[in-house]
Amino acid sequence: MRRLRNVKIVATLGPASNDYATIRALFEAGADVFRLNMSHGSHDDIRVRHQMLRQIEADTGTPVCILADLQGPKLRVGTFANGSEELIERGRFRLDLDPAPGTAERVNLPHPEIFAALEPGSSLLVNDGKIRLEVAACGPDFADCIVTVGGTISNRKGVNVPDVVLPLAALSEKDRRDLEFVCELGVDWLALSFVQRPEDVEEARSLARGRAAILSKIEKPAAVKAYDAILAVSDGIMVARGDLGVELPVQAVPPIQKRLVRGARAAAKPVIVATQMLESMIDSPMPTRAEVSDVATAIYEGADAVMLSAESAAGSYPIEAVMTMNNTAISVEGDPVYRDIIEASRAAKRASVADAIVAAAREIAETTPIKAICCFTQTGKTVSLVARERPRVPILALTPLVETARRLSLTWGTHCVVTAPQERFKGAVICAARAALSDGFAQEHEQIAVVAGVPFNVRGTTNILRVAPCDERLIYSGDPE
């Protein structure tokens, strides 16, 4: 199925999108990638959704990308004897390891690793930052705090620690079980929560053993500080603005978003902008103007994908939310200013033959009337490099590996086609021409650019670029094999 836009749409599945007909409708409305949230649902639930997605893939003949989002460690206070208590600004409150029910003076925080990392002056945020505490004194089993922002604290509310790098692994025992389950199931991407350092990503990669690509969620200040190192060991990035907006001043999030998107694009790695993009559409068939502008801003920045969370998982209007994103993307990408911004922000790094080849393909697309850039790839690297250039024409990703086609469905501008293995370049050109014709990207009298590596089926050999006709007769009568 050909999309009329380049940016991709990620839709989260949940109770509102839990049957074949609804998921198929989301796909037809514009969803390119489907997110399985491991924080909700049993393994049986996840397996059923995965099976439905693979059935849609078989029924439509289009590779479908599946992203499993791991929960990550959850830091929460314990319970209260009265269910909740009111904390007064400038009052005192203690967090400790005592499992006894909480009172107005204290509550259990069953995470000794937090106490080990705290120091006087550290901040603690409770219930998504609605309550703010400052550590006055602390030890290995307690933290005496001053309430800087008061409010109601209740059972098992979440705790954020923005000022320190916690001595916690990004993968809990639940995450390890979930990781193995979804990798065996056959997902294409793993989204890793609670990333603080590159070692967190490397641990997940060692457990995945190449069965899924690793996407790091940047949601903590420590991850922002270590972004370059985390990006270097990740296959992709998610700008997880929800927790970023809790642990950092909200006004700091937009410039951070821009830096993260540009960094990922320069590295030729896909980047998703996520969280609260069309939040009002959980309950309303129409978004706010500000939400549409938020989606548009991410597209203008050159993000590979924009994501729906509760809007498609638990909202009343999941299909309308996808349609809104799709229509917004088509409108933005049709704006001449969009192309000006994309080209002005293009990274100019050239360090290899492959870099030069894909830059030349993009320049040919800008100066001649070719209709598509067709890339033959094993790992997806060539396609990612072409996508980094943000060309003005569609990118056809041609690969004999369905796993590669699925993963590339997250990448900006790609239309993925699973082909037979090619042994000769002329055969590859013919295969590319047929794909461009059959999927409506070109007509017989028009031309395409073909990017490939010779010898074929060898990783990392991108070394050839040809402008070719779509008329097979002209290809056969042209260069020798």
Side-chain angles (χ1 to χ4, degrees):
M1 178 179 291
R2 181 182 178 182
R3 304 296 191 197
L4 300 179
R5 52 172 162 78
N6 293 304
V7 71
K8 301 304 180 76
I9 295 172
V10 182
T12 303
L13 298 185
S17 47
N18 206 29
D19 61 88
Y20 178 94
T22 302
I23 299 172
R24 175 73 180 262
L26 291 174
F27 174 78
E28 292 177 350
D32 305 286
V33 180
F34 291 87
R35 173 175 172 254
L36 305 176
N37 188 351
M38 303 308 293
S39 298
H40 305 287
S42 67
H43 282 186
D44 286 341
D45 295 332
I46 298 297
R47 181 183 290 106
V48 169
R49 289 170 188 162
H50 182 274
Q51 289 171 344
M52 287 189 286
L53 288 168
R54 290 294 177 238
Q55 186 61 51
I56 290 169
E57 179 179 79
D59 293 345
T60 61
T62 302
V64 172
C65 183
I66 303 176
L67 181 154
D69 195 334
L70 301 177
Q71 176 178 282
K74 290 299 179 185
L75 309 178
R76 301 182 185 279
V77 299
T79 59
F80 288 84
N82 297 325
S84 66
E85 295 288 350
E86 194 72 20
L87 300 190
I88 306 303
E89 188 172 335
R90 292 189 296 276
R92 293 273 179 165
F93 193 71
R94 167 174 278 217
L95 301 166
D96 57 41
L97 294 178
D98 184 352
T103 66
E105 290 76 38
R106 59 154 296 278
V107 73
N108 175 229
L109 181 62
H111 302 286
E113 55 277 355
I114 292 181
F115 297 115
L118 291 178
E119 54 188 41
S122 296
S123 296
L124 291 164
L125 312 177
V126 183
N127 193 16
D128 290 335
K130 295 181 177 66
I131 294 173
R132 294 175 177 259
L133 310 173
E134 181 179 321
V135 177
C138 55
D141 58 357
F142 76 96
D144 287 328
C145 304
I146 298 170
V147 180
T148 57
V149 176
T152 303
I153 184 171
S154 56
N155 295 340
R156 299 186 181 88
K157 289 301 180 183
V159 176
N160 295 80
V161 190
D163 298 339
V164 296
V165 177
L166 294 174
L168 276 173
L171 295 170
S172 65
E173 286 305 313
K174 169 180 162 50
D175 294 324
R176 290 170 181 270
R177 293 192 299 271
D178 289 345
L179 184 153
E180 184 60 28
F181 170 72
V182 295
C183 282
E184 284 298 300
L185 203 57
V187 302
D188 308 300
W189 286 87
L190 285 170
L192 185 61
S193 301
F194 211 86
V195 175
Q196 299 183 93
R197 54 184 83 81
E199 291 80 7
D200 295 331
V201 185
E202 291 168 342
E203 180 187 13
R205 188 178 299 283
S206 68
L207 294 172
R209 303 194 306 277
R211 293 172 292 175
I214 307 297
L215 186 140
S216 295
K217 296 168 67 175
I218 307 300
E219 55 189 353
K220 298 188 70 61
V224 175
K225 291 178 182 177
Y227 179 60
D228 291 343
I230 290 170
L231 176 62
V233 297
S234 303
D235 299 309
I237 294 294
M238 182 188 292
V239 185
R241 304 177 305 173
D243 280 329
L244 271 180
V246 171
E247 299 203 8
L248 290 167
V250 290
Q251 67 270 18
V253 175
I256 289 172
Q257 174 176 315
K258 289 185 182 295
R259 181 165 75 85
L260 300 184
V261 170
R262 288 204 177 187
R265 181 180 162 195
K269 296 180 178 182
V271 55
I272 302 170
V273 176
T275 316
Q276 297 178 327
M277 301 211 82
L278 296 175
E279 186 87 351
S280 70
M281 291 194 75
I282 295 172
D283 300 308
S284 168
M286 290 292 292
T288 68
R289 279 62 172 172
E291 288 169 339
V292 173
S293 292
D294 182 39
V295 174
T297 295
I299 298 169
Y300 277 115
E301 288 170 355
D304 289 79
V306 287
M307 192 175 98
L308 296 167
S309 298
E311 302 96 327
S312 59
S316 300
Y317 304 96
I319 297 166
E320 290 84 351
V322 172
M323 292 173 64
T324 297
M325 272 195 166
N326 182 70
N327 293 337
T328 302
I330 292 171
S331 177
V332 168
E333 292 182 8
D335 178 9
V337 174
Y338 167 76
R339 181 47 57 181
D340 293 342
I341 293 171
I342 289 296
E343 294 180 359
S345 60
R346 180 180 293 126
K349 296 177 182 178
R350 303 283 180 266
S352 68
V353 170
D355 289 331
I357 291 285
V358 300
R362 186 258 307 160
E363 290 181 4
I364 289 170
E366 291 176 356
T367 55
T368 67
I370 68 164
K371 294 300 178 179
I373 298 174
C374 303
C375 306
F376 284 86
T377 185
Q378 292 284 114
T379 64
K381 182 63 175 178
T382 300
V383 175
S384 297
L385 291 174
V386 173
R388 179 177 66 184
E389 297 290 325
R390 299 296 191 261
R392 298 181 182 181
V393 298
I395 304 166
L396 267 67
L398 306 167
T399 177
L401 305 175
V402 67
E403 297 83 4
T404 298
R406 290 166 176 166
R407 290 180 191 178
L408 284 172
S409 296
L410 176 60
T411 299
W412 184 97
T414 55
H415 177 83
C416 300
V417 180
V418 180
T419 68
Q422 301 297 318
E423 300 296 334
R424 295 178 178 273
F425 185 63
K426 180 174 282 189
V429 173
I430 292 169
C431 178
R434 289 176 178 173
L437 289 169
S438 66
D439 289 358
F441 289 93
Q443 298 180 24
E444 194 172 51
H445 65 279
E446 294 173 321
Q447 293 182 312
I448 55 174
V450 181
V451 177
V454 177
F456 268 92
N457 305 317
V458 176
R459 299 185 177 199
T461 58
T462 303
N463 57 14
I464 191 166
L465 166 64
R466 178 180 171 181
V467 176
C470 289
D471 188 334
E472 283 189 38
R473 294 167 296 181
L474 298 177
I475 299 172
Y476 278 115
S477 64
D479 296 338
E481 294 185 3

